[in-house]
């Protein structure tokens, strides 16, 4: 069983990744969930995490992290995820405890206490992860890998070159990519293939409690995605989690990947050295393909499992 820490900024796709992790207890042990300012303000994304965990009747520590990037000031946007950061569902009187307000210290303590190596699942900007790696270099040997959603070696989304999670804090991403730790990158190259179709979303409507929640999340997310040219809905963040459950449905290549931290048009770009003979050692497994149907089946199976557990 793989031990994981999930760092996130819920976010519709973060929520689905969390639900999928909760449903796969035989493969994943969630040591904790931490939040970071990204899809919305830290306060809003933490509330969203509370709602999801309470709704799913989870018993996982939840800890608040950084509200701002390492260098620049963060300005949240309502465009993709709405004013709450997770518009669509209505959560009534749901309470979930916040274990603490220092995600970096919490993650370090969990990693140090673990007898086995821990995998970091990064679903938002990499601020918390970068601070962890810089503050506690002694724990590097106890980190198995970092599976992250971010970047893209072909295109961006928030700009033509940069993907949102990396663009919010490229300085943090630069630290992570140069950490020397094994990195699995679920960038836009693969996540834009990992889409759920409109008719598949409709199948969730009349199933159990958790499936209906997913239906509400995805219905809003699908409508929101249309402004960006999507007909179906790529579930970006779920890729970083799904790879840990079924790596066989993904394919990728190892590249040297770096992060542009300049203030120019390329800020936040992740670029890969694809030369046949590179002067750099490969530092990232870049996922480039996913078997879409199997990806959707993995999500559907997870939701059905939680439907049976959550009354």
């Amino acid at each position: 069983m793989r031990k994981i820490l999930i760092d996130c900024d819920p976010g519709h796709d973060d929520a689905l990744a969390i639900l999928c992790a909760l449903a796969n207890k035989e493969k994943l042990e969630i040591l904790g969930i931490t939040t970071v300012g990204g899809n919305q303000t830290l306060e809003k994304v933490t509330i969203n995490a509370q709602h999801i965990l309470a709704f799913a009747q989870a018993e996982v520590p939840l800890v608040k992290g950084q509200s701002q990037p390492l260098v620049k000031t963060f300005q949240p946007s309502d465009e993709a995820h709405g004013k709450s950061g997770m518009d669509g569902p209505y959560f009534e009187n749901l309470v979930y405890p916040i274990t603490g307000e220092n995600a970096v210290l919490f993650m370090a303590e969990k990693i140090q206490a673990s007898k086995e190596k821990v995998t970091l699942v990064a679903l938002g900007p990499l601020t918390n992860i970068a601070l962890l790696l810089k503050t506690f270099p002694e724990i590097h040997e106890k980190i198995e890998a970092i599976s992250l959603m971010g970047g893209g070696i072909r295109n961006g989304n928030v700009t033509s070159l940069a993907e949102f999670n990396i663009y919010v804090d490229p300085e943090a991403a630069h630290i992570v990519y140069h950490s020397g730790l094994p990195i699995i990158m679920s960038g836009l190259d693969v996540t834009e293939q990992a889409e759920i179709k409109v008719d598949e979303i409709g199948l969730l409507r009349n199933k159990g409690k958790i499936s209906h929640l997913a239906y509400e999340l995805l219905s809003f997310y699908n409508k929101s995605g249309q402004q960006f040219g999507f007909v179906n809905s790529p579930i970006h963040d779920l890729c970083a989690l799904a790879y840990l459950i079924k790596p066989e449905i993904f394919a990728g290549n190892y590249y040297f990947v770096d992060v542009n931290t300049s203030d120019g048009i390329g800020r936040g770009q992740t670029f890969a050295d694809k030369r046949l003979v590179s002067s750099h050692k490969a530092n990232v497994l870049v996922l480039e393909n996913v078997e879409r149907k199997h990806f959707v089946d993995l999500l559907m199976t997870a939701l059905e499992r939680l439907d049976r557990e959550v009354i």
Side-chain angles (χ1 to χ4, degrees):
M1 180 184 295
R2 189 189 294 262
K3 295 181 182 292
I4 65 170
L5 286 163
I6 300 175
D7 188 61
C8 58
D9 59 339
H12 299 75
D13 46 346
D14 304 71
L16 294 168
I18 291 170
L19 291 173
C20 198
L22 291 171
N24 283 274
K25 297 180 179 66
E26 76 283 0
K27 291 189 176 182
L28 303 174
E29 180 184 350
I30 309 172
L31 301 180
I33 294 176
T34 55
T35 56
V36 63
N39 284 324
Q40 258 296 351
T41 65
L42 178 65
E43 294 301 322
K44 289 183 178 181
V45 301
T46 302
I47 290 170
N48 293 340
Q50 288 178 286
H51 284 161
I52 289 296
L53 292 170
F55 194 89
Q57 300 173 9
E59 296 181 357
V60 177
L62 174 64
V63 183
K64 292 171 68 174
Q66 297 297 306
S67 63
Q68 292 290 326
L70 296 182
V71 176
K72 300 289 187 178
T73 300
F74 169 58
Q75 297 295 332
S77 171
D78 299 343
E79 287 185 357
H81 297 273
K83 290 184 177 180
S84 72
M86 201 171 71
D87 282 6
Y90 173 71
F91 298 96
E92 186 175 5
N93 300 323
L94 289 183
V95 178
Y96 194 87
I98 297 175
T99 302
E101 298 196 5
N102 190 326
V104 174
L105 181 58
F106 171 80
M107 287 191 286
E109 290 174 347
K110 285 293 184 181
I111 293 168
Q112 288 167 339
S114 176
K115 294 181 180 178
E116 301 170 23
K117 288 190 175 184
V118 176
T119 297
L120 304 179
V121 185
L123 308 180
L126 292 166
T127 315
N128 288 337
I129 306 296
L131 287 171
L132 172 71
L133 299 181
K134 294 295 286 186
T135 308
F136 298 97
E138 68 274 14
I139 68 170
H140 284 212
E141 63 183 18
K142 297 197 70 176
I143 297 174
E144 183 173 10
I146 302 172
S147 183
L148 65 87
M149 190 278 128
I153 60 173
R154 289 199 306 260
N155 61 279
N157 56 9
V158 69
T159 72
S160 61
L161 298 174
E163 179 275 330
F164 177 83
N165 282 346
I166 305 299
Y167 183 80
V168 168
D169 198 343
E171 285 79 14
H174 189 273
I175 290 170
V176 172
Y177 277 69
H178 286 269
S179 67
L181 292 168
I183 295 173
I184 303 122
M185 173 177 157
S186 295
L188 298 176
D189 315 283
V190 69
T191 69
E192 289 186 345
Q193 301 172 39
E195 60 180 16
I196 185 168
K197 295 183 177 180
V198 175
D199 61 334
E200 292 168 333
I201 295 172
L203 296 174
L204 297 168
R205 182 172 187 174
N206 296 315
K207 291 188 176 183
K209 184 177 179 180
I210 299 297
S211 289
H212 188 80
L213 171 63
Y215 168 77
E216 292 178 332
L217 287 165
L218 287 166
S219 293
F220 177 89
Y221 197 48
N222 180 262
K223 290 177 182 177
S224 175
Q226 292 173 15
Q227 67 185 304
F228 305 112
F230 293 106
V231 175
N232 300 307
S233 296
I235 313 178
H236 303 281
D237 288 338
L238 181 55
C239 289
L241 194 285
Y243 178 83
L244 302 179
I245 300 170
K246 283 196 172 182
E248 65 271 18
I249 70 173
F250 293 89
N253 291 286
Y254 286 92
Y255 299 111
F256 172 77
V257 180
D258 210 343
V259 183
N260 189 333
T261 58
S262 74
D263 286 329
I265 192 172
R267 180 171 176 78
Q269 180 187 14
T270 48
F271 54 94
D273 187 344
K274 292 187 175 183
R275 292 177 292 178
L276 295 178
V277 179
S278 173
S279 57
H280 301 285
K281 181 181 178 181
N283 61 339
V284 176
L285 171 58
V286 179
L287 303 183
E288 297 183 88
N289 292 286
V290 62
E291 297 174 18
R292 190 203 72 84
K293 187 64 170 62
H294 290 296
F295 176 81
V296 174
D297 287 345
L298 182 149
L299 173 62
M300 296 293 197
T301 300
L303 297 173
E304 289 170 3
R305 286 181 183 174
L306 292 179
D307 284 339
R308 293 192 292 268
E309 296 176 11
V310 179
I311 309 252

